[in-house]
Amino acid sequence: LEFDVVGTTSWIRSLGLKRVALQLADGMLQHAAWLALRMRGENEGCDVFILADSSVSSWDPDVVAAQHVNADGLVMYGRASQAQPASLPV
């Protein structure tokens, strides 16, 4: 399993994000803590949160959960819908 940390870091920096929520497919959750630590290390000054109890399908962005932690961006790993919510960069 490979996560595009370099590409994600570039995206976070290009948007100037400071609070990023990570949403992983159920089968990837065992990697969530490692990924969050890695993302924090690559993005100094950026808070990273793991969304682990999604109330939506695993392929839809859980914007509501991201808003609960005041995230200004949401990163999804795994199969994802192409729909883009207007309220948050995904």
Side-chain angles (χ1 to χ4, degrees):
L1 191 58
E2 187 175 319
F3 297 96
D4 184 9
V5 174
V6 172
T8 303
T9 294
S10 176
W11 179 77
I12 290 170
R13 289 179 181 166
S14 73
L15 293 176
L17 302 178
K18 297 295 180 198
R19 298 178 62 83
V20 175
L22 301 179
Q23 181 178 339
L24 288 80
D26 291 344
M28 298 178 169
L29 284 177
Q30 70 267 22
H31 304 288
W34 170 86
L35 182 60
L37 287 172
R38 177 85 190 273
M39 295 302 287
R40 286 180 185 127
E42 296 289 328
N43 296 283
E44 192 173 319
C46 182
D47 293 324
V48 179
F49 303 90
I50 301 167
L51 305 182
D53 188 21
S54 181
S55 60
V56 298
S57 65
S58 63
W59 56 85
D60 287 323
D62 195 348
V63 173
V64 172
Q67 290 172 335
H68 285 172
V69 296
N70 294 317
D72 54 5
L74 172 60
V75 176
M76 292 186 66
Y77 288 99
R79 187 173 158 207
S81 167
Q82 296 300 309
Q84 294 293 315
S87 59
L88 194 68
V90 177

